[in-house]
Amino acid sequence: MINRFIPFLFCICLFTSDSFSQAAYFYPEASGSMNPSIPTPEKFLGYAVGTQHTRHDKIVEYIKELSKVSNRLTFRIIGETYEHRQQVVAIFTSSSNHTRLEEIRKAHLAGQLTGNTASVPLVIHLGYNVHGNEPSSSEAALLTAYYLTASESDETKKWLNEMVILMDPNINPDGRDRHTHWANMHKGDPAVADPADREHNEIWPGGRFNHYWFDLNRDWFLGTFPETRNRIRFFHEWRPYVQTDHHEQGTNATHYFDPGKYSSNNPVVPDYLYNTLYPKYAEYFADAMNKIGSMYFTKEAYDKLYPGYGSSYINFYGGAGFLFEQASSRGHVQETSTIPLTFAFTIRNHFTMSIATIRASLAEKTSLLTLRKAFYKAAADQARKSAIKAYLFGDPKDETRTRAFVNMLLMHEIEVYENEQTTNADEKKFEAAKTYIVPVEQANYIMIKSIFEKGIPYTDSTFYDASTWSLIHSYGLPYAELKSPFTKGSRINMLPERKVPLVQRSNYAYVFELTDYNAHKAIYELQKGGAIVQTAFKPFTLPVQGNPKKFGYGSISIPVNRQNISSDSLFKLVSNTSQSSLVTIHSLSTSFSIEGIDLGSSLIQTIVPVKAAMLIGTGVAATEAGEIWHLLDERLGMPITKIDLLTLGRIKLERYNTLVMVSGNYSLIDKPTGDRIKAWVQNGGTLITIKTGTEWAIKQGMTKEKLIPATDTAKTATAARINFDIAADNEGSKSLGGSIFQVDLDTTHPIGFGFTNRKVSVYRNAQTYLAPSINPYSTVAQYTDNPLIGGYLHPLSAKKVKNSAAIIVAQEGDGRLIMFSDDPNFRGAWYGTNKLFLNALFFGSLTNVPRLN
């Protein structure tokens, strides 16, 4: 047992003897002397790098300290996280460059489209630790920061004179601190390398994610979170030529650097990046790793398809993104299939790659300028030759969702214009002043194409992540491709503050449509304030300020004289709710309809206030649970109780009327607890299940609804032989990495309330297939006969998904199961299908099929 600790103990002894020993391990031979007035990380922190995981606040303090004692570094706060940790960046350059930093930035940006910045210092960006439990890179950031401020070598001085080096030392502060606390709390002395040790096995949800359990390395394209939006804003302030993204991978791996899998490059990005620049940089990376004796691999894995990675976003703006994946010690030292892997070793590799990136970037400055010039020329050529001249979009009935999409476009620096004239296109009507136009002939055409196009051509059928990411479909907005000359209005630089009309006092009723994205926020605020809120199961038309107005399925009614609060209190509550939710609420003076049902109809039913809980913990998909937590917290201001599976057995389910189960294996739910959930449903509870949560419910006999087997169980007499070396690609091609499909939605059903079109885009990235219900009213949403909108779909999966059920509501006793085969809240970006989940949450108790007399 003793020998497993020897390499780590050697490193401990090496680092604690003196700072020169640590420098000898981490820094290259050509480092030159170090400025003694600059504190080393070891001196500042009080421990040697690699012997302890450094908290985010200490990382921030060290960068601040360097900015105080060195004229090579400026420090800046760009925002804060949900847990109020500072997001910081450091800017390294020479003292003379610092005196004219804004001048350099403007000159750099002025030459973007032409690449004419040869006389301007080269701007690059180093980014670390987007996944909180991949911590070695932030420690490497400390070493890099020290090296750039303290090194007196001629090479370092040349870098600082001729470059501006931007650094984000910790992209995910909340996740990092979660993991840092775990690793330090469980560190042994002597350290334990056994992979079974608690130090190496975080409890759920782990440190990978941010506060809401989201993967921030998928968020560059979506911009769901403030951490990302702050970072994107800083990116566009500088628009660097190079951006790095430092990660960790499995403990038994080595080290990965680009180029990646050639067949998985994004074809809309000009291939100079992939065919010329990546191979050039690889020579520098290989040389640096060879010198320290570290093993590595390239070209086998990791794609550049998705625009939302830290290493790919820059590629869509004429830059070069580089991914580094280091084998992880997941703690301070861990056994591998060869020798124990120390935290210090993982840090050294990331530091080595940081320095190699700086060295390569200045040496290849001409290539980087060529890349950017070629990129924007290719983008302009593609836009000019495109049959599509502009995209027209917007939903007048859902201003919240439309504005969210516009803000996303503006975040990516895409030009958006008002639509000044009502236009009919693609059999849709786009109203003037309520819809928008994006011309394709603009600098950032490549990003426009990525946002609006349904799919791209593939040369591979295996994907590291999604195979399509069309955001116009995720927002579910009506849009049209304009292929002839068009008229655009004023350019939108920032949307004006949104206002809704003041509510007029009524002594009879208030009503609003369910079409706006914020409608459920309004319902919750009204119920929280004590109002009784009802929903309409049939459309109606009533006079509003003397004019007839149509209200569709699911429209919301608040009767004045059927309340437990006074009419004065109700008016104040309705007025405040309208302003806070930005939902237009109308005042009525009569129940007598011009057309359709009257407000006193039995088809106007009271909405039971939601008392929701969600199961979380070991075995549950943290990202899907986080999506729901984030949706309710941030967009509705509504709480949901998060029940850990380990405590479920002693929870009184009767306290809740709604229970949510996202994807998971739920092996921690024993039979007695499962029986309790089943009885709770039978007694009137609403169980909402998503993906494998749905599979669990069906397999546990909660409902008689059926699954379609994900794999073909039919046996063949003889299977054709296939070479072993293509097994991974062959089998991987059968998975569903993420594609967009069309379903037919019953908009008369409470789950479909508020939708104005039966054809709805959904995102599918798993193989839960629901058979349509034998009850003709229960299949709320069903895949069409030819459902694929965009992305890759294996022929075997195509057979299963077409005409399968997307949503089923199964009545069980006095309760019901609302089962989704897909995730309607995917990555916080699927505004177009959030309403399906929210309808299930708010209207679940109203979904039982009425019994016929």
Side-chain angles (χ1 to χ4, degrees):
M1 295 288 288
I2 296 296
N3 64 353
R4 82 165 53 131
F5 306 125
I6 291 174
F8 182 67
L9 291 175
F10 174 75
C11 288
I12 295 288
C13 296
L14 179 72
F15 295 165
T16 55
S17 57
D18 56 64
S19 60
F20 295 105
S21 297
Q22 189 170 24
Y25 181 76
F26 286 117
Y27 301 134
E29 294 179 4
S31 298
S33 62
M34 297 292 187
N35 184 340
S37 68
I38 306 298
T40 65
E42 178 183 4
K43 182 178 181 180
F44 181 84
L45 297 170
Y47 54 83
V49 172
T51 64
Q52 181 87 348
H53 284 61
T54 305
R55 299 194 317 262
H56 176 70
D57 63 302
K58 289 298 182 182
I59 295 172
V60 172
E61 287 175 14
Y62 183 63
I63 299 295
K64 282 183 179 179
E65 181 64 19
L66 292 181
S67 70
K68 292 176 183 177
V69 299
S70 173
N71 57 12
R72 296 178 177 183
L73 164 63
T74 55
F75 167 87
R76 180 175 162 192
I77 298 170
I78 62 170
E80 69 173 24
T81 69
Y82 282 111
E83 296 175 13
H84 302 291
R85 292 180 176 89
Q86 290 180 341
Q87 288 180 270
V88 301
V89 292
I91 303 175
F92 300 89
T93 192
S94 67
S95 59
S96 59
N97 284 342
H98 270 301
T99 62
R100 59 187 191 97
L101 198 59
E102 183 61 10
E103 176 190 330
I104 290 172
R105 188 185 71 85
K106 289 180 177 178
H108 164 75
L109 292 177
Q112 289 297 292
L113 301 186
T114 60
N116 293 332
T117 57
S119 61
V120 180
L122 181 71
V123 180
I124 70 169
H125 181 101
L126 307 177
Y128 302 91
N129 209 168
V130 68
H131 293 146
N133 60 359
E134 299 176 4
S136 57
S137 67
S138 279
E139 309 283 347
L142 297 179
L143 295 175
T144 306
Y146 170 70
Y147 189 83
L148 290 174
T149 51
S151 173
E152 298 292 346
S153 73
D154 290 339
E155 182 182 44
T156 304
K157 291 177 180 178
K158 180 177 175 64
W159 294 341
L160 295 170
N161 284 329
E162 299 182 24
M163 301 177 76
V164 174
I165 302 168
L166 313 174
M167 175 191 285
D168 188 336
N170 183 12
I171 296 172
N172 182 4
D174 293 347
R176 179 183 174 86
D177 271 5
R178 195 181 309 131
H179 176 263
T180 293
H181 178 67
W182 179 268
N184 290 338
M185 177 173 65
H186 294 101
K187 182 181 72 171
D189 184 15
V192 181
D194 185 348
D197 188 72
R198 186 170 169 84
E199 179 187 0
H200 310 303
N201 298 279
E202 295 173 272
I203 58 172
W204 193 97
R208 178 182 178 91
F209 310 116
N210 78 339
H211 173 78
Y212 282 111
W213 309 332
F214 273 70
D215 187 336
L216 292 179
N217 193 43
R218 307 299 190 270
D219 199 41
W220 280 84
F221 189 52
L222 311 174
T224 301
F225 295 96
E227 300 102 311
T228 305
R229 293 193 293 271
N230 295 336
R231 193 165 294 112
I232 290 175
R233 191 180 306 115
F234 182 73
F235 171 88
H236 286 295
E237 282 181 24
W238 280 97
R239 209 61 85 73
Y241 278 95
V242 169
Q243 181 158 296
T244 65
D245 190 20
H246 295 256
H247 290 256
E248 290 181 6
Q249 55 186 326
T251 302
N252 286 305
T254 57
H255 187 94
Y256 166 86
F257 55 79
D258 291 320
K261 194 175 183 181
Y262 280 115
S263 57
S264 294
N265 293 327
N266 193 306
V268 305
V269 175
D271 60 13
Y272 181 86
L273 171 66
Y274 307 123
N275 296 339
T276 303
L277 205 69
Y278 279 158
K280 280 187 177 182
Y281 267 74
E283 294 176 10
Y284 294 88
F285 299 149
D287 180 62
M289 294 295 271
N290 291 341
K291 284 179 178 177
I292 62 172
S294 285
M295 302 296 289
Y296 51 85
F297 69 96
T298 64
K299 302 181 289 292
E300 296 175 27
Y302 303 110
D303 67 52
K304 298 290 184 182
L305 285 168
Y306 178 54
Y309 303 132
S311 62
S312 64
Y313 183 76
I314 189 174
N315 297 353
F316 292 76
Y317 291 92
F322 292 96
L323 171 67
F324 301 104
E325 292 272 357
Q326 168 58 44
S328 178
S329 60
R330 279 295 190 274
H332 295 85
V333 62
Q334 189 172 167
E335 294 172 355
T336 72
S337 58
T338 56
I339 62 173
L341 178 65
T342 66
F343 191 34
F345 180 84
T346 67
I347 295 166
R348 183 174 67 161
N349 280 349
H350 272 313
F351 169 70
T352 299
M353 290 293 95
S354 300
I355 297 301
T357 300
I358 297 170
R359 180 176 292 118
S361 296
L362 189 56
E364 297 298 334
K365 180 175 181 178
T366 300
S367 297
L368 291 170
L369 302 187
T370 299
L371 169 68
R372 184 146 293 182
K373 182 177 181 179
F375 175 88
Y376 281 109
K377 182 180 184 304
D381 290 344
Q382 288 182 36
R384 187 175 61 255
K385 295 174 183 177
S386 174
I388 301 167
K389 302 305 176 187
Y391 292 96
L392 178 60
F393 69 89
D395 186 348
K397 288 185 171 295
D398 192 346
E399 190 174 350
T400 300
R401 192 159 40 101
T402 300
R403 287 171 67 95
F405 188 75
V406 171
N407 281 326
M408 181 275 299
L409 294 172
L410 296 177
M411 175 183 69
H412 293 309
E413 297 214 335
I414 289 170
E415 296 175 19
V416 183
Y417 296 83
E418 292 179 347
N419 175 29
E420 291 188 330
Q421 57 186 32
T422 298
T423 304
N424 292 307
D426 288 354
E427 300 180 350
K428 305 180 193 82
K429 182 179 180 181
F430 296 90
E431 294 183 28
K434 295 182 179 180
T435 54
Y436 301 87
I437 291 176
V438 174
V440 302
E441 288 199 56
Q442 54 177 290
N444 294 326
Y445 169 71
I446 298 295
M447 185 56 79
I448 293 171
K449 191 173 182 179
S450 300
I451 289 170
F452 282 93
E453 288 201 355
K454 295 177 287 188
I456 59 176
Y458 303 108
T459 57
D460 201 348
S461 57
T462 56
F463 303 91
Y464 185 68
D465 196 80
S467 66
T468 189
W469 39 81
S470 174
L471 291 183
I472 190 66
H473 286 91
S474 74
Y475 280 72
L477 289 170
Y479 79 105
E481 299 171 348
L482 301 183
K483 298 181 178 180
S484 56
F486 60 93
T487 301
K488 65 185 181 185
S490 302
R491 181 175 174 180
I492 306 292
N493 292 310
M494 182 174 67
L495 285 171
E497 182 182 357
R498 185 179 169 194
K499 296 180 180 180
V500 294
L502 295 176
V503 177
Q504 301 300 307
R505 184 180 180 120
S506 172
N507 292 318
Y508 195 81
Y510 302 97
V511 66
F512 62 90
E513 296 175 275
L514 199 70
T515 50
D516 192 89
Y517 185 85
N518 282 349
H520 295 86
K521 176 181 173 69
I523 295 171
Y524 172 71
E525 290 184 3
L526 289 166
Q527 290 181 325
K528 182 182 177 182
I532 293 172
V533 183
Q534 300 179 315
T535 186
F537 276 62
K538 292 280 189 178
F540 56 88
T541 302
L542 281 168
V544 174
Q545 295 182 343
N547 298 308
K549 180 170 177 59
K550 294 181 179 180
F551 294 89
Y553 290 96
S555 291
I556 302 302
S557 171
I558 308 109
V560 173
N561 296 313
R562 302 180 74 181
Q563 300 287 341
N564 295 317
I565 58 177
S566 69
S567 59
D568 289 341
S569 296
L570 182 64
F571 172 60
K572 183 177 180 181
L573 174 62
V574 169
S575 297
N576 290 341
T577 296
S578 176
Q579 294 303 311
S580 62
S581 65
L582 298 173
V583 169
T584 299
I585 300 180
H586 306 280
S587 301
L588 301 178
S589 58
T590 180
S591 173
F592 190 67
S593 69
I594 299 170
E595 186 177 356
I597 61 172
D598 300 321
L599 290 189
S601 168
S602 62
L603 291 171
I604 304 277
Q605 297 192 20
T606 299
I607 303 168
V608 177
V610 181
K611 297 178 182 178
M614 175 172 59
L615 300 186
I616 64 165
T618 302
V620 176
T623 52
E624 290 182 21
E627 290 160 3
I628 291 169
W629 181 21
H630 172 263
L631 172 67
L632 299 182
D633 258 26
E634 292 295 305
R635 296 180 187 166
L636 272 72
M638 171 182 168
I640 185 169
T641 300
K642 302 178 289 297
I643 298 176
D644 196 289
L645 292 174
L646 294 174
T647 63
L648 178 59
R650 58 178 183 267
I651 298 296
K652 292 183 178 180
L653 292 177
E654 294 73 23
R655 176 170 179 165
Y656 313 99
N657 56 23
T658 306
L659 185 64
V660 180
M661 297 179 70
V662 299
S663 293
N665 60 42
Y666 296 102
S667 59
L668 291 179
I669 299 181
D670 57 20
K671 189 176 186 307
T673 305
D675 289 343
R676 284 181 57 227
I677 295 174
K678 186 174 182 179
W680 172 83
V681 171
Q682 294 283 330
N683 289 327
T686 298
L687 180 61
I688 301 173
T689 60
I690 294 173
K691 291 166 60 177
T692 56
T694 292
E695 294 184 31
W696 179 88
I698 292 174
K699 291 173 182 177
Q700 296 301 312
M702 300 270 174
T703 176
K704 293 183 176 64
E705 301 297 341
K706 303 293 183 184
L707 294 166
I708 299 171
T711 56
D712 191 353
T713 56
K715 295 182 179 179
T716 56
T718 305
R721 295 177 65 222
I722 303 174
N723 285 350
F724 181 78
D725 70 345
I726 63 170
D729 287 344
N730 244 20
E731 297 307 307
S733 70
K734 298 175 185 177
S735 66
L736 247 172
S739 299
I740 299 174
F741 297 85
Q742 185 180 80
V743 301
D744 178 77
L745 175 69
D746 180 358
T747 55
T748 73
H749 192 283
I751 305 302
F753 281 177
F755 285 83
T756 56
N757 191 334
R758 289 185 66 102
K759 302 305 179 186
V760 175
S761 298
V762 300
Y763 186 84
R764 168 178 277 266
N765 65 345
Q767 302 208 36
T768 296
Y769 301 102
L770 273 172
S773 177
I774 60 172
N775 184 324
Y777 308 106
S778 291
T779 303
V780 179
Q782 184 171 16
Y783 283 90
T784 59
D785 189 57
N786 186 25
L788 184 66
I789 291 175
Y792 173 78
L793 182 63
H794 191 277
L796 292 177
S797 298
K799 292 178 182 178
K800 296 180 179 69
V801 72
K802 76 172 187 176
N803 298 319
S804 66
I807 306 171
I808 288 179
V809 177
Q811 184 172 343
E812 303 295 337
D814 291 334
R816 75 286 310 155
L817 277 78
I818 303 176
M819 297 176 286
F820 290 82
S821 65
D822 312 303
D823 179 4
N825 307 306
F826 185 67
R827 290 182 180 164
W830 274 77
Y831 282 75
T833 51
N834 283 151
K835 193 188 295 286
L836 295 171
F837 175 78
L838 293 174
N839 283 347
L841 200 65
F842 279 78
F843 306 143
S845 64
L846 303 177
T847 57
N848 287 4
V849 176
R851 292 181 173 87
L852 300 178
N853 295 327

